[in-house]
């Protein structure tokens, strides 16, 4: 036991301290005058902009009639502008530095040399993470003199600055992880750069929207600001670190600073990004795939648990009345919850092509090893695809129900589980279609694209399309197409959706069983020669 | 010992390696011969654990390339048919990096780097940047890189391409030395003379199939079980074909060109001497008389059809 822990610690020390990949990149990064020039230019720009902002905000304080409070708020504004600038730096520098790191090695093929050595994807990726992040971090540290100025002048306290830097570092870490994932996915450097910045942009828009709304409520609603209570996601955006630094959230009666929650969240995000990249770099069925799947299940369960915890009260007590008042029949709160979770499960269609199709992908193979096997739940092989899908759904529905129960101590009724079953049969049906397509088409990519686009056309597109055609005031009762539409139980707009959900479930289940049988028999014949080959006794030449 | 068992690789719509099997022992220098696209690189990359085999496996000293990947990687040195060098890195830093990822203890690294540089004749370039080395030097640096962790199996994919004759001779000497040290060396090439004289085992691969495997002499005798004698006579060779074909131990005789004869002969050296005496006794004016021994190139050309995969 002790020796196992010792070995584990040594392995991790090797990964995080003295990582050879990071060491080599470090030597290259600091070679010659390039980085000195770059740092100099960066400081010059930073100080220049800070001076301009400072003179424009503090210029008024020279005028008569400016109160101390005004001057204070100007200084605070100066501090926040500086922090915003640093946020911008992180958003630009972190993805830019990281995006090409893996693709470039793949193009130069030096990645093959690295992976012909006893290097795990973890070791390699953490090394890459360290080398890019260290550079971003050096830029942050270099900006300290500028931020120190605002502390000295009185715009912020040292604690503010420290927490703001921690937040910026965490956001830099997240953006680095995104870029690293993109770098592992993309075959070309240009693509990696574009996708990294796209991911960074998306993250920024989402995080900024969330945190600025929350902060606005703080500012105007309660007149608070620093040192007040706010939801933890205010700390997500690099643009508002100055304001978010001192906020906290009350969890279980304790005031937990948001930066601490943010630290945990960002490490989880980094972990799942690195696992994704690792799964791409390792052979099929590798340890990283297992880790990725476990994390996916855990996060799904946690998120739906939180959703249940938050939405339960509203959905169980308020929703049924409002739904019935708008002319929809006797839908219970539990059924509404079920409908909602079924909708939330929709992004599973993104997994569908990967879970249902097999074949060849670049240098890997995905030979079907059966239809259903719990044993393969986590290893990413086709036999485990469907069990994984089921566990995903279980996490969604179970997490939601548990979250609600934990909050209100009221269990869901049978109506909720009806929709869980409906959701399960719907995805079973699409999974069986994916297996059929995959058995008919030889090429992995083609079959995945077919499954994906088929699903988009059949399920995702019609809804917004019909809404657009019919206008927002869609009278569903007049649209006969909806009667054919298999999603009708989920949309739940009609009276008595529950019997329909049961009926549709039964039909879909039957169809799925038949399609699976056809697809599997085709697969078996196709692979017979292959199997024979595998089992041929070998003779050395 | 390396056991390759039914190793097979399929790409979408193409079988690059069709299930090949062979065994190699310590000290074996295995020449892997095949034309472009025959599947050499694919096989080597599978053994190097960089490619997942579609079927089959290889076992190196008890470690399976599919299951015990890390263990196998610790024992192999893979030199690909490209350089994969980093920019802006010095020679010793490059080697230091690989020594580090092979977990060579920090204290020993300096010594190891010096000794592999010595072995590959690069000591004077220790502080040069890798991109400033000539092609041949880069090639040798790649070989030096494979040696930092003292591997038991070396996988060298076309190691001699781009080397000048001198460097080539040195490389051969180096590989032979590695063989004497008890390592298994797999060398792939399509340049035959390069391999014949220092490999003790060869394999000929075409379209993913191992057509022949074994010691050079064994392969050659298998392909050509009988001796071939080349006889140059003065006068029209065609006139002599008939009488010669009737002589004892002669399996066949054909005239090649003006005065040359190719005689397939099954007797021993004694019989061969008698045969010559008889020719002279019959009044043939023999100008030259020698055994036409087949070499690897003949075998290769005979076995392969030049079909591309
Ligand atoms: N990633 C790949 N995808 C599809 N086919 C491939 C891939 N890599 C190699 N092949 C095919 O596999 C076959 C064998 O290729 P391989 O590189 O092993 O040949 P080789 O014997 O090393 O040839 P050369 O002497 O030119 O290096 C070729 O027909 C090639 O086109
Ligand atoms: Mg090759």
């Amino acid at each position: 036991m002790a020796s196992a822990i010792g070995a584990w610690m040594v392995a991790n020390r090797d990964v995080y301290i003295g990582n050879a990949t990071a060491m080599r990149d470090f030597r290259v990064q600091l070679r010659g005058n390039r980085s000195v020039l770059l740092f100099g230019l960066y400081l010059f720009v930073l100080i220049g902009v800070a001076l301009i902002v400072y003179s424009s905000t503090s210029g008024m304080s020279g005028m008569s009639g400016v109160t101390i409070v005004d001057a204070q708020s100007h200084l605070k504004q100066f501090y926040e502008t500086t922090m915003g600038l640093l946020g911008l730096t992180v958003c630009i520098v972190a993805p830019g530095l990281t995006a090409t790191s893996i693709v470039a090695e793949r193009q130069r093929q030096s990645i093959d040399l690295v992976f012909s050595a006893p290097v795990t994807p973890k070791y390699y990726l953490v090394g890459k993470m360290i080398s890019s992040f260290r550079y971003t971090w050096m830029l942050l540290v270099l900006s300290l003199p500028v931020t120190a100025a605002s502390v000295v002048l009185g715009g912020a306290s040292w604690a503010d600055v420290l927490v703001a830097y921690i937040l910026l570092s965490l956001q830099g870490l997240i953006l680095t992880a995104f870029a690293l994932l993109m770098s592992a996915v993309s075959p070309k450097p240009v693509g990696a750069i574009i996708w990294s910045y796209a991911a960074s942009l998306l993250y920024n828009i989402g995080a900024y929207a969330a945190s600025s709304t929350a902060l606005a409520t703080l500012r105007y609603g309660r007149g608070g600001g620093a040192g007040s209570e706010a939801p933890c996601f205010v700390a997500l955006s690099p643009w508002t670190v100055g304001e978010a630094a001192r906020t906290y959230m009350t969890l279980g009666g304790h005031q937990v600073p948001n930066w601490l929650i943010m630290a945990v969240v960002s490490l989880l995000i980094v972990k799942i990004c690195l696992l994704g990249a690792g799964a791409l770099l390792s052979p099929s069925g590798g340890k990283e795939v297992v880790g990725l799947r476990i994390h996916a299940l855990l996060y799904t369960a946690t998120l739906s648990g939180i959703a249940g915890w938050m939405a339960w009260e509203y959905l169980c007590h308020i929703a049924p009345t409002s739904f019935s008042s708008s002319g929809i029949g006797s839908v219970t709160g539990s059924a509404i919850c079920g409908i909602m979770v079924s909708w939330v499960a929709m992004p599973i269609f993104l997994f569908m092509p990967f879970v249902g199709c097999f074949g060849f992908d670049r240098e890997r193979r995905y030979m079907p090893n059966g239809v259903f096997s719990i044993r393969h739940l986590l290893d990413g092989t086709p036999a485990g695809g469907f069990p994984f899908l089921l566990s995903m759904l279980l996490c969604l529905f179970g997490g939601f129900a548990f979250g609600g129960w934990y909050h209100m101590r009221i269990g869901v009724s049978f109506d909720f589980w009806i929709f869980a079953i409906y959701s399960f049969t719907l995805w079973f049906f699409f999974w069986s279609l994916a297996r059929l397509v995959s058995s008919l088409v030889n090429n992995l990519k083609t079959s995945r694209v077919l499954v994906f686009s088929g699903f988009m056309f059949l399920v995702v597109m019609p809804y917004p399309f019909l809404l657009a055609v019919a206008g927002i005031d869609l009278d569903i009762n007049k649209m006969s197409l909806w009667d054919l539409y298999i999603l009708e139980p989920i949309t739940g707009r009609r009276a008595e959706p529950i019997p329909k959900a049961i009926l549709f479930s039964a039909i879909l289940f039957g169809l799925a069983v038949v399609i699976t049988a056809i697809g599997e028999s085709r697969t078996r014949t196709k692979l017979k020669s292959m199997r024979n080959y595998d089992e041929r006794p070998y003779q050395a030449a | 010992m390396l056991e390759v068992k039914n190793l097979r690789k399929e790409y979408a719509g193409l079988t690059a390696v069709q299930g090949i099997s062979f065994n190699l022992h310590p000290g074996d220098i295995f020449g892997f011969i095949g034309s472009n696209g025959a599947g050499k690189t694919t096989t080597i990359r599978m053994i190097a654990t960089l490619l997942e085999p579609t079927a089959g496996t290889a076992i190196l000293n008890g470690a399976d390339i599919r299951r015990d990947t890390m263990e196998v990687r610790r024992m192999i040195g893979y030199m690909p048919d490209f350089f994969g060098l980093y920019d802006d890195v010095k020679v010793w830093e490059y080697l230091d990096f690989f020594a580090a990822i092979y977990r060579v203890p920090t204290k020993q690294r300096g010594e190891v780097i010096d000794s592999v540089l010595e072995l590959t004749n690069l000591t004077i370039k220790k502080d040069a940047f890798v991109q400033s080395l000539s092609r041949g030097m880069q090639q040798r640096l790649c070989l030096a890189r494979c040696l930092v962790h003292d591997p038991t199996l070396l996988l060298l994919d076309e190691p001699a391409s781009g080397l000048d004759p001198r460097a080539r001779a040195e490389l051969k000497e180096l590989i032979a030395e590695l063989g004497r040290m008890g390592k298994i060396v797999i060398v792939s090439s399509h340049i035959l003379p390069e391999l014949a004289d220092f490999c003790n085992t060869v394999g000929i691969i075409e379209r993913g199939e191992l057509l022949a495997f074994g010691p050079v002499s064994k392969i050659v005798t298998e392909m050509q079980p009988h001796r071939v004698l080349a006889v140059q006579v003065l006068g029209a060779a065609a006139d002599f074909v008939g009488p010669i074909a009737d002589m004892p131990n002669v399996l066949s005789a054909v005239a090649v060109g003006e005065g040359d004869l190719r005689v397939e002969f099954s007797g021993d050296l004694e019989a061969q001497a008698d045969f010559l005496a008889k020719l002279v006794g019959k009044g043939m004016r023999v100008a030259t008389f020698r055994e036409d021994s087949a070499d690897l190139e003949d075998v290769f050309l005979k076995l392969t059809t030049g079909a591309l995969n």
Side-chain angles (χ1 to χ4, degrees):
Chain A
M1 185 64 191
S3 73
I5 293 175
W8 180 81
M9 273 169 61
V10 167
N12 274 290
R13 190 198 62 203
D14 281 356
V15 170
Y16 294 101
I17 303 165
N19 185 303
T21 319
M23 183 68 194
R24 202 219 44 240
D25 286 342
F26 189 54
R27 279 178 182 146
V28 174
Q29 279 168 354
L30 294 186
R31 179 146 280 149
N33 301 326
R34 205 179 41 198
S35 48
V36 176
L37 273 175
L38 213 90
F39 286 153
L41 188 72
Y42 160 75
L43 267 187
F44 184 75
V45 170
L46 194 68
I47 294 175
V49 175
L51 279 179
I52 292 170
V53 174
Y54 180 67
S55 59
S56 72
T57 52
S58 65
M60 302 182 227
S61 61
M63 292 189 292
S64 54
V66 176
T67 60
I68 297 285
V69 179
D70 270 353
Q72 271 273 310
S73 90
H74 287 319
L75 278 171
K76 200 161 152 21
Q77 201 182 332
F78 165 67
Y79 168 71
E80 274 161 18
T81 316
T82 319
M83 281 301 162
L85 270 178
L86 286 180
L88 180 69
T89 312
V90 167
C91 293
I92 291 175
V93 171
L97 272 178
T98 326
T100 52
S101 56
I102 298 176
V103 207
E105 281 223 37
R106 195 184 282 142
Q107 283 220 321
R108 215 191 292 122
Q109 293 179 299
S110 52
I111 196 166
D112 276 357
L113 303 185
V114 174
F115 281 115
S116 73
V119 167
T120 55
K122 176 180 173 182
Y123 184 88
Y124 179 74
L125 290 170
V126 170
K128 287 283 167 206
M129 239 0 241
I130 293 175
S131 52
S132 329
F133 185 63
R134 185 171 40 199
Y135 209 84
T136 314
W137 215 71
M138 280 193 276
L139 291 180
L140 278 182
V141 171
L142 276 180
S143 71
L144 261 178
V146 182
T147 32
S150 50
V151 178
V152 174
L153 293 172
S157 70
W158 279 112
D160 286 339
V161 174
L162 182 71
V163 176
Y165 270 70
I166 291 176
L167 285 180
L168 282 174
S169 309
L170 292 172
Q171 283 138 6
L173 205 62
I174 292 178
L175 295 180
T176 307
F178 280 162
L180 207 60
L181 179 61
M182 295 305 154
S183 195
V185 176
S186 317
K188 296 256 164 56
V190 180
I193 293 173
I194 293 174
W195 284 113
S196 299
Y197 277 109
S200 164
L201 192 69
L202 267 180
Y203 172 79
N204 269 304
I205 292 174
Y208 184 72
S211 74
S212 59
T213 338
L215 286 173
T217 342
L218 264 191
R219 264 188 303 245
Y220 301 111
R222 295 182 219 160
S228 41
E229 179 157 13
C232 62
F233 51 79
V234 297
L236 280 171
S237 169
W239 305 95
T240 52
V241 282
E243 286 175 85
R246 297 286 288 276
T247 56
Y248 63 86
M249 224 174 133
T250 311
L251 286 182
H254 299 280
Q255 292 185 353
V256 186
N258 281 333
W259 65 265
L260 202 64
I261 303 175
M262 176 61 190
V264 175
V265 170
S266 48
L267 289 181
L268 289 178
I269 295 176
V270 169
K271 174 100 192 180
I272 203 160
C273 285
L274 292 196
L275 280 174
L280 286 165
L281 291 177
S282 66
S284 46
K287 209 170 70 206
E288 290 73 17
V289 184
V290 176
L292 185 65
R293 291 205 156 185
I294 291 177
H295 278 256
L297 291 179
L298 283 181
Y299 294 0
T300 310
T302 314
L303 285 179
S304 50
I306 293 173
W309 189 67
M310 294 198 310
W312 199 254
E313 195 168 355
Y314 171 75
L315 286 171
C316 286
H317 299 292
I318 308 162
T321 38
S322 63
F323 263 73
S324 50
S325 68
S326 61
I328 292 171
S330 59
V331 185
T332 67
S334 285
I336 300 258
C337 290
I339 289 167
M340 207 187 86
V341 182
S342 300
W343 263 111
V344 169
M346 278 296 162
I348 282 183
F349 80 86
L350 292 172
F351 287 88
M352 222 51 213
F354 297 95
V355 161
C357 299
F358 65 87
F360 292 94
D361 180 14
R362 272 193 250 162
E363 295 183 331
R364 299 193 197 186
R365 64 166 186 151
Y366 297 87
M367 280 301 167
N369 51 353
V371 185
F372 187 94
S373 163
I374 294 287
R375 212 156 44 86
H376 291 293
L377 174 68
L378 295 173
D379 64 8
T381 56
F386 191 47
F388 179 64
L389 202 70
L390 285 187
S391 341
M392 204 76 176
L393 283 172
L394 193 70
C395 285
L396 267 168
F397 280 93
F400 191 87
F402 180 77
W405 174 81
Y406 188 77
H407 184 42
M408 306 280 293
R409 303 286 156 181
I410 308 169
V412 280
S413 74
F414 188 62
D415 296 354
F416 178 79
W417 297 111
I418 294 287
F419 284 94
I421 289 168
Y422 174 72
S423 211
F424 153 67
T425 48
L426 178 73
W427 293 112
F428 178 27
F429 176 70
F430 275 101
W431 173 82
S432 71
L433 278 183
R435 290 296 287 213
L436 184 68
V437 168
S438 156
S439 75
L440 294 172
V441 181
N442 230 337
N443 186 302
L444 180 68
K445 227 179 204 159
T446 319
S447 55
R448 283 185 175 169
V449 169
L450 271 176
V451 168
F452 184 77
S453 40
F455 181 80
M456 290 299 275
F457 276 111
L458 281 176
V459 180
V460 180
M461 299 307 279
Y463 191 68
F465 176 73
L466 287 173
L467 274 184
V469 169
I472 297 302
D473 280 340
L474 178 72
D475 184 357
I476 290 166
N477 292 313
K478 289 197 183 117
M479 294 203 55
S480 57
L481 195 66
W482 287 107
D483 295 331
L484 297 171
Y485 199 42
I486 51 164
L487 276 184
E488 192 181 330
I490 284 188
T491 58
R493 296 256 185 169
R494 289 183 159 239
E496 311 284 338
I498 289 161
K500 271 208 170 132
I502 297 173
L503 179 69
F504 277 105
S505 298
I507 295 171
L508 283 178
F509 189 81
L511 278 176
V513 168
V514 173
I515 296 173
T516 309
I518 297 172
E520 282 313 302
S521 87
R522 288 198 60 96
T523 310
R524 252 194 303 280
T525 37
K526 204 162 96 178
L527 285 170
K528 214 159 207 166
S529 56
M530 189 82 220
R531 289 271 151 74
N532 287 344
Y533 199 94
D534 261 340
E535 280 148 22
R536 197 181 71 163
Y538 109 94
Q539 324 161 285
Chain B
M1 151 161 198
L2 174 73
E3 291 170 85
V4 176
K5 301 180 180 180
N6 274 341
L7 208 54
R8 181 180 173 90
K9 178 72 194 175
E10 285 177 23
Y11 291 112
L14 172 116
T15 308
V17 176
Q18 321 228 9
I20 65 176
S21 308
F22 56 83
N23 291 340
L24 293 174
H25 303 274
D28 279 355
I29 300 175
F30 173 53
F32 202 26
I33 313 169
S35 28
N36 292 132
K40 304 182 294 290
T41 303
T42 308
T43 309
I44 289 180
R45 282 171 58 82
M46 282 193 283
I47 300 175
T49 73
L50 290 170
L51 260 187
E52 243 183 299
T54 311
T57 186
I59 293 167
L60 175 61
N61 292 339
D64 188 314
I65 55 162
R66 307 181 73 145
R67 273 184 292 117
D68 320 309
T69 314
M70 287 299 154
E71 210 169 311
V72 171
R73 286 180 183 179
R74 238 166 260 141
M75 292 188 281
I76 55 169
Y78 166 59
M79 176 174 168
D81 51 356
F82 50 84
F83 296 140
L85 296 174
Y86 294 100
D87 298 332
D88 258 345
V89 168
K90 289 178 179 169
V91 168
W92 74 267
E93 287 172 348
Y94 184 71
L95 293 175
D96 185 64
F97 168 61
F98 281 99
I101 60 174
Y102 278 107
R103 309 286 202 279
V104 175
T106 323
K107 282 190 214 110
Q108 292 167 24
R109 273 183 219 160
E111 208 176 301
V112 165
I113 291 171
D114 285 342
S115 73
V116 295
L117 284 175
E118 178 88 44
L119 202 63
T120 48
N121 252 333
L122 283 171
T123 311
I124 49 160
K125 292 289 181 184
K126 188 174 172 183
D127 283 309
F129 282 99
V130 291
Q131 69 265 38
S132 74
L133 300 183
S134 74
R135 195 189 144 88
M137 287 176 183
Q138 291 187 345
Q139 196 103 349
R140 279 186 274 155
L141 177 60
C142 289
L143 185 61
R145 176 190 66 72
C146 302
L147 296 171
V148 287
H149 60 297
D150 193 26
T152 37
L153 169 66
L154 277 162
L155 299 162
L156 311 178
D157 201 354
E158 322 236 342
S161 64
L163 293 186
D164 62 30
R166 171 160 208 95
R168 213 172 269 227
E170 279 168 10
L171 179 75
K172 282 183 196 173
E173 187 39 51
L174 183 58
I175 292 175
E177 175 62 34
L178 293 171
R180 283 194 290 276
M181 285 160 74
K183 300 184 190 308
I184 305 173
V185 188
I186 298 184
V187 189
S188 93
S189 181
H190 36 234
I191 309 170
L192 290 160
E194 190 179 287
L195 291 177
D197 40 337
F198 70 96
C199 292
N200 49 28
T201 317
V202 291
I204 295 176
I205 183 172
E206 190 182 48
R207 300 176 70 172
E209 263 181 294
L210 197 59
L211 300 178
F213 175 89
V216 182
S217 53
K218 181 180 148 233
I219 290 189
V220 172
T221 31
E222 261 172 20
M223 279 311 292
Q224 204 169 38
H226 309 297
R227 219 167 293 187
V228 173
L229 302 172
V231 185
Q232 193 187 11
V233 293
L234 302 181
D239 300 344
F240 302 111
V241 170
I244 288 178
D246 294 337
M247 289 186 192
N249 294 328
V250 172
L251 299 170
S252 71
V254 279
V256 196
E258 192 50 12
D260 289 310
L261 285 157
R262 271 177 66 86
V263 181
E264 231 183 306
F265 194 75
S266 64
D268 55 7
L269 284 177
E270 198 76 19
Q272 196 173 317
D274 291 342
F275 174 61
L276 176 59
K278 261 189 210 148
L279 291 185
V280 177
K282 284 203 171 175
M284 285 180 211
R285 291 171 58 74
V286 178
T288 57
F289 181 89
R290 62 183 169 83
E291 185 181 335
D292 195 2
S293 59
D295 61 13
L296 209 52
E297 186 140 12
D298 299 316
V299 177
F300 181 71
L301 293 176
K302 209 160 171 179
L303 272 177
T304 60
T305 54
L308 288 180
N309 200 340

